[in-house]
Every structure is written in structure tokens, then in C-alpha cells.
Amino acid sequence: MIQIAIDGPSGAGKSSLARRLAQELGYLYVDTGAMYRAIGLYMLRAGVEPTDPAAVLPRLGEVHLELKHLGGVQHVFLNGEDVSEEIRREEVSMAASSVSAHQGVRDFLTETQRSIARQNNVLMDGRDIGTVILPDAQIKIFLTASAEERARRRTRELQQKGQPADYEEVLADIRRRDHNDSHRAAAPLRQAEDAVLVDTSNDDFEAAYQRLYRLIQGRL
Ligand code: C5P
């Protein structure tokens, strides 16, 4: 099986790029962030404080997650309910970032993620795919862009969806999540030694896609 790992901070364009690359290559696209988001959503709904591991970990037994690929698009089911839309809310982003700092939450998802990669050619995106989940992945990419550029893209995306978005607030959120993700003890966000660094600050989607596509084709 071929494994391609794409890691990087939030808003670098990982998921839209990875989705299109996977489609082009005929691989399964696995968005691991969606799994952390679904757990974050569960805890929010249950009134559990996402930052408190003593509160979160005992509740994991109540969480049943399934990933289904419908028409090539990944859908996440939380206890049978399709929550793919709801997990994109900003409130859920922060809860996902909080729950993902707990080692017990990471352990809960590790085997699921590895087993998908054993059974399919995958393009998996996340924070620790190249470092922890799939250390033997044939291709590892660390995709990044400046915090300001990521905030601009995210603000535009939210506004296009008709959601109110303030650039300064989005930027502050991105910085907070970057800090959480790279300073936590459990699987902090970092570039794997054998990963290729791709900075898309000055690329539009199409240019970034072409760069990644060529990079992957050159290594397969
Ligand atoms: O990628 P996305 O922004 O959807 O991920 C949501 C949150 O889940 C991130 O802020 C990050 O804290 C966490 N995450 C993680 N490890 C992954 C994927 C996501 O810790 N492999």
C-alpha cells in the first residue's frame, strides 16, 4: 500500500489540496482532523470541558466514530449521525485543538488511522501523520504558509459561506491553535526529518496543487 502523509498547521490548504490530489491519484483521502473535531463536538455537546483530560478521557468510551467515503468525499459519523458539516464550526475547531492535546485521545484514534492506511492507498492529512502515525510513509510533505496568509484565506472562506468573520479574530484563533498544536507534549506538530517542506504563502490553489502533484509524481 502507498502512504502519503501531509502535515502542517491549520489553514495551510492541506485538506482541499489533499482531497484533490487523492482524487487525481485514485487514493483514499483521510482527514484525521475531522476525527479530533468529532470528539471535540461530542465533548461540547456533553458539557465536558475539552481542556480537562480527567473529564474527557472517561467519556471516550461513549464515542463511536466512522469514516465513510461517499462519492469520494469523506463523511464523519459520530454515533451514527453525519456531523461532517457541524464539525467545521469555529467553536468545534478550538475544542478539537484542546482534546487533541490529551495522549489518551490520540491513542484512541491511532489504531483506526493506521488500519485505514494498511487497507488502502492513502493520502492522510493531519499534524502527526509523518512523525507518529505513519512513520514509514513513502512520501511525507510538511505544508505550511504564513499565519497572516492562512488567516486571510480562512476569513475569505468563511465570508463566502455567509458566516461572519473578522480577520483579526481569525488570525488570533490561528495563532492560538498553532501554539497549542506545536507546544503540547503529546505528538506536537513538527516537520518529520524526511518530510519535504512546501510553503504555499505565495501560491494560489492551482499553483500549490501543481507543485505538490509534481513532487508526488516524482517520488512515486
Ligand atoms: O486539521 P484540522 O484543523 O481539522 O484539525 C483540528 C484540530 O485537531 C487541530 O487544531 C489539531 O489540534 C488537531 N489534530 C491533531 N492531529 C491530527 C489532526 C488534527 O492534533 N492528526
Side-chain angles (χ1 to χ4, degrees):
M1 289 298 163
I2 310 269
Q3 303 174 338
I4 303 177
I6 303 194
D7 292 300
S10 36
K14 285 192 310 291
S15 46
S16 39
L17 288 163
R19 194 176 305 121
R20 169 133 169 241
L21 287 163
Q23 203 173 22
E24 189 65 31
L25 296 162
Y27 290 10
L28 193 66
Y29 166 55
V30 184
D31 167 10
T32 60
M35 300 178 179
Y36 290 97
R37 286 170 179 271
I39 295 177
L41 174 63
Y42 182 83
M43 298 304 158
L44 285 180
R45 283 179 175 177
V48 171
E49 172 50 50
T51 56
D52 180 4
V56 168
L57 300 185
R59 307 296 293 266
L60 284 177
E62 299 161 21
V63 176
H64 179 67
L65 290 184
E66 276 173 295
L67 292 188
K68 290 187 193 164
H69 289 78
L70 309 171
V73 179
Q74 175 186 287
H75 287 248
V76 193
F77 289 77
L78 170 62
N79 297 333
E81 175 193 350
D82 187 346
V83 293
S84 313
E85 289 275 319
E86 197 173 351
I87 56 170
R88 298 295 148 200
R89 290 189 358 237
E90 281 303 297
E91 192 195 358
V92 182
S93 304
M94 285 314 295
S97 179
S98 301
V99 296
S100 72
H102 312 319
Q103 187 61 50
V105 171
R106 309 202 69 84
D107 294 342
F108 179 75
L109 293 176
T110 299
E111 184 43 34
T112 311
Q113 293 169 359
R114 287 188 179 150
S115 96
I116 299 172
R118 273 196 297 273
Q119 294 163 41
N120 304 276
N121 290 327
V122 289
L123 207 152
M124 193 174 279
D125 96 30
R127 303 292 186 287
D128 62 339
I129 309 306
T131 50
V132 177
I133 302 296
L134 305 175
D136 298 326
Q138 287 89 338
I139 302 177
K140 297 182 186 178
I141 296 166
F142 194 81
L143 193 73
T144 189
S146 69
E148 292 77 9
E149 178 56 23
R150 288 184 283 131
R152 268 192 292 278
R153 292 177 190 168
R154 180 76 185 134
T155 308
R156 210 164 37 227
E157 193 180 295
L158 287 168
Q159 286 168 347
Q160 275 163 3
K161 282 192 204 158
Q163 294 175 28
D166 174 67
Y167 170 79
E168 292 300 334
E169 270 175 37
V170 172
L171 179 61
D173 251 25
I174 283 186
R175 290 215 163 108
R176 200 156 48 229
R177 279 212 282 157
D178 281 358
H179 188 273
N180 283 355
D181 291 354
S182 44
H183 288 81
R184 66 189 180 204
L189 172 66
R190 64 176 180 81
Q191 183 182 344
E193 274 170 23
D194 49 351
V196 182
L197 177 69
V198 177
D199 185 323
T200 68
S201 300
N202 299 313
D203 291 330
D204 64 11
F205 179 85
E206 197 53 37
Y209 172 78
Q210 292 300 338
R211 271 173 81 186
L212 289 174
Y213 186 75
R214 277 197 298 274
L215 190 156
I216 291 171
Q217 286 296 357
R219 285 168 182 252
L220 277 177

